[in-house]
Amino acid sequence: MTSYEDAGVDIGAGERAVELMKSRVARSRRPEVVDDVSGFAGLFDASAFLRYKRPLLATSTDGVGTKVDLARRLGVYGTIGHDLVGMVVDDLAVCGAEPLFMTDYIACGKVVPERIADIVGGVADACALAGCALVGGETAEHPGLLEADEFDLAGAGTGVVEADDVLGPDRVRPGDAVIALGSSGIHSNGYSLVRHILATTDLTLDSRPGELDRTLGEELLTPTRIYAQDCLALVNEGGVHAFAHITGGGLAANLARSLPPTLDAVLNRSSWEVPALFRVLQAGGDVPWPEMDKTFNLGVGMVAVVAPDTADAALRLLATRGVPAWPLGEITPGTGQAAYA
């Protein structure tokens, strides 16, 4: 007789993983979350939207990309979920939306309960940091398609924003100040280039170049900084016109998405020093700086465009929240481009 387990799917392992992650998932709970006894869906009490005049739901979905391969190779699974949440909720924050809830999806070759619990636990911990609830998810075992230690991770999030308060290009004005919010590292974009550098040079995950305080592998797995609550705090302070989440495509391309076609962002390249990790990768892989610029965040993970008379207050607020930030440039008449002066 043939069983599902003979085909490589262990239902019992999945159930054990759920039990292991329950307590950490519970810590991400918001008061609007309603229990679904069946467990087939996540429920959220929409009566919370009654305080809005015209609530708009914002949604975003993303993954972690090939950073999961480095997590697998290093056997470190507790931070990769943090990266997922950052990619999703910080996209929501760009329009001024408050993240409300997330769901996640893990595909793996074999369910190892402790590994799955570490991954989902990281998602839940990061959701709590972002102020949103992890209301559900799915773990799928794909024997024959993925090797036993392989996995991929994706998720989707929902937020809400008042229609009259949506941020974006239409609010940006000439003379606005451009503020950089520092990244914690590479975040979750550009890892295919990182892996190519590792495969074609003497650099390894165990390398410890003199510029780094830790091994290259440890630096590369630094979790994504989550800006959502910091962005909302800036919005509440007043004067914010737009945000730009610096992900794939780099600083200039992502900031241009938040500009109207009649204005430019003129940036001061000397306003910050590119962190050591990026310099190590650039030198080790002989990557031209223009290629680095369009692949990595180079130390800037989020950008805020604010009214000039609120810039100093914004910088002070970010400092109190422990977010490195500095004046990056200004908005001038132009053609919708972001570029260095």
Side-chain angles (χ1 to χ4, degrees), residues 309-320:
D309 60 344
T310 66
D312 288 343
L315 289 168
R316 287 195 297 270
L317 176 61
L318 291 168
T320 65

Side-chain angles (χ1 to χ4, degrees), residues 46 48-58 95-97 159-166 171:
F49 302 155
L50 293 175
R51 70 179 186 272
Y52 293 86
K53 294 178 181 178
R54 185 186 170 205
L56 300 183
L57 293 181
C95 70
V160 63
V161 60
E162 183 67 68
D164 289 341
D165 296 332
V166 173
R171 291 177 176 255

Side-chain angles (χ1 to χ4, degrees), residues 146-215:
L146 296 171
E147 296 297 326
D149 64 341
E150 290 182 332
F151 71 96
D152 199 9
L153 176 64
T158 298
V160 63
V161 60
E162 183 67 68
D164 289 341
D165 296 332
V166 173
L167 303 175
D170 60 309
R171 291 177 176 255
V172 178
R173 298 289 182 268
D176 280 352
V178 181
I179 294 175
L181 282 65
S183 70
S184 58
I186 294 183
H187 288 180
S188 297
N189 296 101
Y191 277 84
S192 292
L193 178 54
V194 170
R195 291 167 59 246
H196 178 74
I197 292 171
L198 291 173
T200 58
T201 71
D202 292 334
L203 288 174
T204 70
L205 294 175
D206 295 326
S207 296
R208 189 166 181 170
E211 292 185 81
L212 302 182
D213 295 326
R214 302 182 293 173
T215 67

Side-chain angles (χ1 to χ4, degrees), residues 40-67:
F40 282 97
L43 301 178
F44 192 90
D45 185 356
S47 66
F49 302 155
L50 293 175
R51 70 179 186 272
Y52 293 86
K53 294 178 181 178
R54 185 186 170 205
L56 300 183
L57 293 181
T59 185
S60 176
T61 187
D62 211 336
V64 183
T66 57
K67 189 172 184 177

Side-chain angles (χ1 to χ4, degrees), residues 2 35 63 88 96 99 101 127 143 146 155 197 205 244 255 278 337:
T2 301
D35 290 324
V88 172
F101 56 84
C127 279
L146 296 171
I197 292 171
L205 294 175
L255 180 52
F278 298 101
Q337 305 298 312

Side-chain angles (χ1 to χ4, degrees), residues 115-288:
R115 182 170 64 200
I116 298 299
D118 271 353
I119 295 170
V120 177
V123 175
D125 292 345
C127 279
L129 182 62
C132 67
L134 181 60
V135 298
E138 174 71 8
T139 300
E141 207 166 17
H142 291 170
L145 295 180
L146 296 171
E147 296 297 326
D149 64 341
E150 290 182 332
F151 71 96
D152 199 9
L153 176 64
T158 298
V160 63
V161 60
E162 183 67 68
D164 289 341
D165 296 332
V166 173
L167 303 175
D170 60 309
R171 291 177 176 255
V172 178
R173 298 289 182 268
D176 280 352
V178 181
I179 294 175
L181 282 65
S183 70
S184 58
I186 294 183
H187 288 180
S188 297
N189 296 101
Y191 277 84
S192 292
L193 178 54
V194 170
R195 291 167 59 246
H196 178 74
I197 292 171
L198 291 173
T200 58
T201 71
D202 292 334
L203 288 174
T204 70
L205 294 175
D206 295 326
S207 296
R208 189 166 181 170
E211 292 185 81
L212 302 182
D213 295 326
R214 302 182 293 173
T215 67
L216 186 55
E218 289 171 317
E219 289 285 348
L220 290 171
L221 280 192
T222 300
T224 299
R225 186 186 297 276
I226 295 176
Y227 301 97
Q229 290 301 313
D230 305 308
C231 290
L232 293 177
L234 285 176
V235 170
N236 291 334
E237 184 85 358
V240 176
H241 293 161
F243 289 113
H245 189 195
I246 311 307
T247 55
L251 175 55
N254 282 285
L255 180 52
R257 295 166 62 183
S258 295
L259 299 175
T262 57
L263 296 177
D264 285 351
V266 179
L267 310 179
N268 180 3
R269 181 63 190 81
S270 64
S271 66
W272 86 102
E273 182 179 7
V274 173
L277 174 59
F278 298 101
R279 299 197 303 269
V280 166
L281 292 171
Q282 187 276 327
D286 192 24
V287 183

